[in-house]
Amino acid sequence: MNDTAAKRSSAPTVPPNRERVPVASKQRRTSEQSASRRRTSPRHAAKGSTGRSANREADRGRRSGENHRRISAPRPEIRAHEAKSGSPRTRLIVALVVLSLLLVAIVVRVTQLKTSDAESFRSAGAAQWTRTRDIVAQRGTIFDRHGNELAMSVPAAAISINPKLVENGPATVQMLDDFLDLPDDKVADLLVEVNRPLAERRGFVYVARQVDAEVGQHIEALNRAGINVDDESRREMPGGLTGQTVLGRTNIDGAGIAGLELQYDDVLTGTGGQMTREIAPGGRTIAGSETITASPVAGDDLVLTIDRSIQFATEQILIEQVTNIDARGGFIIVMDSDTGEIYANSSVRRDPDTDEPMVTGANFVALDSYEPGSVAKVITVAGALDAGAVTPATTFEVPWREQYYDDLLKDSHEHDTEVMTVEDILVESSNIGTIKIQETMGRFVHHDYMTAFGLGEKTALDFPDESPGIFKAADELWGSERVTVAYGQGMSSTPLQMAAAINTIANDGVYVAPRLVAATVGPDGTTTAMPPSETRRVVSSQAASQTAAMMQEVVCNPKGTAKLAAVPGLPIAGKTGTAFKAAANGTYYDDNGDRIYYASFAGFFPADDPQVTVLVAIDEPPPGTRDRFGGTASAPLFAALTPMLIHELGIRPGENDVGCEG
């Protein structure tokens, strides 16, 4: 008990607010304290001498002081510092976490550079030593029905310069002028560009477009800094201007801007490709470094219903006639009576600068509308026959003039009041007689027939900027317009509309929509036929047959107006039209006070089995002359074309076919 108490009393006391001493230190200190107690115990004192006891006491005192110093608590400020900085193990863990995060960030960034950002860095690097240029896709070719090229693209080159890179500008411009024979004003502009201070120069200037590909190759072979030669194409028509009216044209960049080139631009246009090439310092191309990165895909070809030979013949005969009679222009349409396929679509007009007749670049056959005149009487007669209002033998008393509303309307010539049959009225082209036929069925029924024949709306061709003509609704017609439409005045139609209307009679009373495109051919050679023309019955087969028989008399009867359309040995059916043409001043007279005329003839053959329908129209034949009538200006062209059409189309007249002589 005493030893234990001594041990307890000799143990140092640590204040409760001080930090605890580590266990190992406590154990070491306890051991030393026990040894000290053993030395001072009564047993040990009895065995030793007095001197040794004194020494030991002094030694114990020193050791006791050391022990007291060794177990003293650290200062508070030292403990706070250690708590703040943490233990070595904690610091190691924190360092490892930070290093791991940095490593992850580096791995993520490297992965990003190799994946999502890789292309942008590759492109940026490649842009420093490569150049990319577009490869123009081959535009589709336009063929006629026999596979003859009407419009095709040929290789060409676009020459440009970068004035910032050009060395010795004046010499470069002179060299380009030697190759390209540039206009003087172009040379002057180029010299201005290359002589500017470097900071003010543009980076791109066109020198010439659609240059022959061979010339472009020669310029490119010079490998001159700052001169660029890019591939492009140039649209050409192997047949000259043949078919230009229908084909239209493209702009300098090869995009369609008129005609079929515009209407089928999406079909004809291919998908461009790309080529890269390496460049040396100074902008020169490294030979042999060209690489195609995307191959171009050519556009589809178009196969038209046009026959190039027939198209050419109709254009030439129009030019000749317009020249001979001093007219403003003319039109011819040739179409298959059964299918509506157009063999020729020709338009000729005098050039405003040279006054020479030439093939037009615009398809006025579909764009311009005119009062058709007496050709429209065919529609009135066929409608009345179909409605059961008249027969070919129905008679009327017909004066040469008569008052209708506020106007006194007249026939083309003065005559006594006559009893005329429906056939007589059509053969002699009586205006007053035609009005009387219209009155038998009523003007609203007549209006419905005119619409059914295709007047007042665009044809199925839907040609760019095609005109629908002018044909008011029946309840919008005013005054004498209500009756003059019966003979083709007070309304207007395009030559294309009127050709399709007359073809309805040739096609047994069934309207067939005109058609210009037969098929498309893909880059792989696959041919896709276009859908056949839409059809609709307009009048009965009987009404069409009776009308066609009367139209034969228009050609063969001595009183007929189309005698000059007759072809020996071939039955021809047709109708003439001589109409007044509206002038820009709102009248039917020009600035000189002369009438303006539109003379036409529409017919088909063989009359008993129609295969071809033709419309010929002469725009503004000279007034005051015999050539102002449809029977004299247009009908002779029909007769002149027919033998050629028979030959080109392989038409064989039947054994019983006879002309007017039969």
Side-chain angles (χ1 to χ4, degrees):
M1 289 292 293
N2 293 333
D3 290 342
T4 303
K7 292 177 183 178
R8 288 176 180 172
S9 61
S10 63
T13 301
V14 179
N17 60 341
R18 290 195 176 181
E19 182 179 346
R20 296 181 56 132
V21 178
V23 175
S25 299
K26 285 204 257 187
Q27 290 176 348
R28 186 173 58 253
R29 293 168 188 162
T30 303
S31 176
E32 293 174 350
Q33 291 170 0
S34 298
S36 176
R37 281 194 300 269
R38 283 195 302 270
R39 293 186 191 104
T40 58
S41 66
R43 282 188 326 189
H44 287 83
K47 292 180 179 180
S49 63
T50 305
R52 291 166 59 189
S53 297
N55 291 336
R56 287 173 181 167
E57 284 294 329
D59 188 41
R60 257 199 321 270
R62 289 194 302 270
R63 289 178 181 174
S64 176
E66 291 176 358
N67 286 339
H68 279 289
R69 288 194 300 272
R70 188 175 293 118
I71 64 174
S72 60
R75 294 191 303 274
E77 60 270 17
I78 297 176
R79 295 200 308 273
H81 173 73
E82 290 179 353
K84 184 176 181 180
S85 61
S87 68
R89 184 172 179 273
T90 302
R91 291 196 296 270
L92 179 60
I93 292 173
V94 172
L96 288 175
V97 170
V98 172
L99 289 175
S100 298
L101 291 175
L102 289 174
L103 181 60
V104 169
I106 292 171
V107 171
V108 169
R109 182 54 180 161
V110 170
T111 303
Q112 187 179 26
L113 292 176
K114 288 180 173 292
T115 56
S116 61
D117 291 348
E119 185 60 32
S120 63
F121 280 98
R122 279 196 293 269
S123 299
Q128 297 178 9
W129 54 272
T130 63
R131 293 292 182 269
T132 300
R133 68 177 181 180
D134 294 332
I135 303 176
V136 179
Q138 183 78 6
R139 187 175 178 84
T141 299
I142 302 179
F143 297 97
D144 83 338
R145 64 188 302 111
H146 301 300
N148 299 309
E149 294 96 341
L150 294 174
M152 61 187 296
S153 294
V154 298
I159 314 299
S160 62
I161 61 171
N162 182 343
K164 294 178 180 293
L165 300 178
V166 167
E167 300 172 355
N168 195 343
T172 299
V173 172
Q174 181 60 55
M175 181 271 293
L176 292 172
D177 186 25
D178 293 340
F179 272 103
L180 303 172
D181 192 21
L182 300 171
D184 292 342
D185 57 345
K186 185 64 177 179
V187 173
D189 291 342
L190 292 175
L191 288 173
V192 170
E193 291 291 342
V194 299
N195 287 325
R196 296 180 190 273
L198 184 61
E200 298 178 8
R201 296 181 190 178
R202 291 190 289 169
F204 180 88
V205 177
Y206 267 124
V207 177
R209 298 289 305 274
Q210 298 190 346
V211 175
D212 287 346
E214 186 176 355
V215 174
Q217 292 170 0
H218 287 313
I219 295 175
E220 189 171 27
L222 298 175
N223 202 19
R224 298 285 292 271
I227 298 179
N228 304 310
V229 179
D230 296 309
D231 293 334
E232 62 179 357
S233 62
R234 182 176 63 241
R235 204 64 167 168
E236 291 188 353
M237 293 186 290
L241 297 181
T242 301
Q244 177 182 247
T245 295
V246 174
L247 300 175
R249 62 186 185 278
T250 60
N251 62 17
I252 198 167
D253 293 316
I257 57 174
L260 294 179
E261 294 276 17
L262 171 60
Q263 186 176 6
Y264 289 90
D265 188 58
D266 291 343
V267 176
L268 293 165
T269 301
T271 303
Q274 282 192 331
M275 173 186 289
T276 61
R277 54 191 171 91
E278 298 179 12
I279 59 170
R284 293 183 176 87
T285 299
I286 299 175
S289 64
E290 294 85 356
T291 302
I292 295 177
T293 56
S295 298
V297 179
D300 289 357
D301 299 331
L302 287 185
V303 180
L304 305 187
T305 62
I306 295 290
D307 184 303
R308 189 172 69 177
S309 297
I310 297 176
Q311 180 74 25
F312 177 78
T314 55
E315 290 171 351
Q316 295 307 304
I317 200 170
L318 267 179
I319 290 174
E320 182 180 352
Q321 180 72 338
V322 169
T323 300
N324 290 341
I325 69 173
D326 197 26
R328 177 175 183 246
F331 318 100
I332 294 179
I333 302 172
V334 181
M335 64 189 299
D336 186 296
S337 302
D338 181 53
T339 66
E341 293 183 349
I342 296 176
Y343 296 125
N345 180 322
S346 302
S347 173
V348 168
R349 183 167 289 181
R350 289 187 180 274
D351 185 279
D353 297 324
T354 66
D355 200 40
E356 293 294 323
M358 61 183 300
V359 176
T360 64
N363 188 10
F364 293 117
V365 168
L367 303 183
D368 284 0
S369 63
Y370 307 86
E371 294 189 2
S374 295
V375 174
K377 292 173 182 175
V378 171
I379 298 174
T380 301
V381 170
L385 290 171
D386 183 69
V390 298
T391 68
T394 300
T395 58
F396 299 91
E397 286 191 358
V398 182
W400 81 279
R401 62 182 181 181
E402 194 162 13
Q403 187 77 28
Y404 288 92
Y405 302 98
D406 295 333
D407 294 316
L408 183 63
L409 304 180
K410 306 174 184 178
D411 278 347
S412 60
H413 60 282
E414 185 176 349
H415 60 80
D416 294 334
T417 299
E418 300 178 20
V419 176
M420 303 178 72
T421 65
V422 170
E423 181 176 308
D424 293 335
I425 290 171
L426 188 62
V427 168
E428 298 181 37
S429 198
S430 169
N431 295 337
I432 304 301
T434 303
I435 293 174
K436 294 185 178 299
I437 293 174
Q438 182 213 36
E439 290 175 333
T440 63
M441 58 177 160
R443 68 185 185 90
F444 288 97
V445 174
H446 172 257
H447 188 280
D448 290 342
Y449 276 111
M450 297 282 276
T451 302
F453 272 89
L455 302 183
E457 62 182 13
K458 296 180 181 180
T459 69
L461 288 184
D462 196 24
F463 206 79
D465 298 323
E466 180 178 347
S467 170
I470 300 173
F471 190 48
K472 298 178 183 178
D475 56 2
E476 293 179 0
L477 295 172
W478 188 255
S480 61
E481 282 183 334
R482 298 172 178 176
V483 295
T484 59
V485 293
Y487 57 84
Q489 290 190 349
M491 49 82 64
S492 71
S493 66
T494 65
L496 181 62
Q497 286 175 316
M498 191 52 60
I502 297 303
N503 187 65
T504 301
I505 302 301
N507 196 36
D508 201 37
V510 176
Y511 178 91
V512 56
R515 185 174 178 229
L516 265 176
V517 179
T520 61
V521 182
D524 59 354
T526 302
T527 300
T528 304
M530 301 296 280
S533 298
E534 296 181 0
T535 61
R536 62 175 180 267
R537 178 163 290 282
V538 178
V539 297
S540 66
S541 177
Q542 180 182 16
S545 178
Q546 291 173 336
T547 304
M550 288 186 279
M551 291 172 70
Q552 278 187 265
E553 290 302 311
V554 173
V555 177
C556 294
N557 192 302
K559 292 185 178 181
T561 59
K563 294 184 290 293
L564 295 179
V567 177
L570 187 68
I572 303 293
K575 182 68 186 79
T576 58
T578 304
F580 299 137
K581 179 182 175 182
N585 57 22
T587 71
Y588 291 109
Y589 298 89
D590 62 19
D591 295 336
N592 297 323
D594 295 323
R595 285 276 195 183
I596 306 175
Y597 291 90
Y598 176 78
S600 61
F601 173 84
F604 47 84
F605 66 88
D608 52 358
D609 182 23
Q611 297 184 46
V612 180
T613 300
V614 180
L615 180 140
V616 181
I618 298 298
D619 183 24
E620 297 187 20
T625 70
R626 185 172 177 271
D627 293 323
R628 71 183 186 275
F629 302 112
T632 55
S634 300
L637 272 64
F638 178 97
L641 284 171
T642 299
M644 181 273 297
L645 294 174
I646 291 174
H647 172 73
E648 292 292 338
L649 299 175
I651 297 173
R652 294 184 178 181
E655 295 180 358
N656 298 323
D657 284 347
V658 293
C660 294
E661 65 275 12

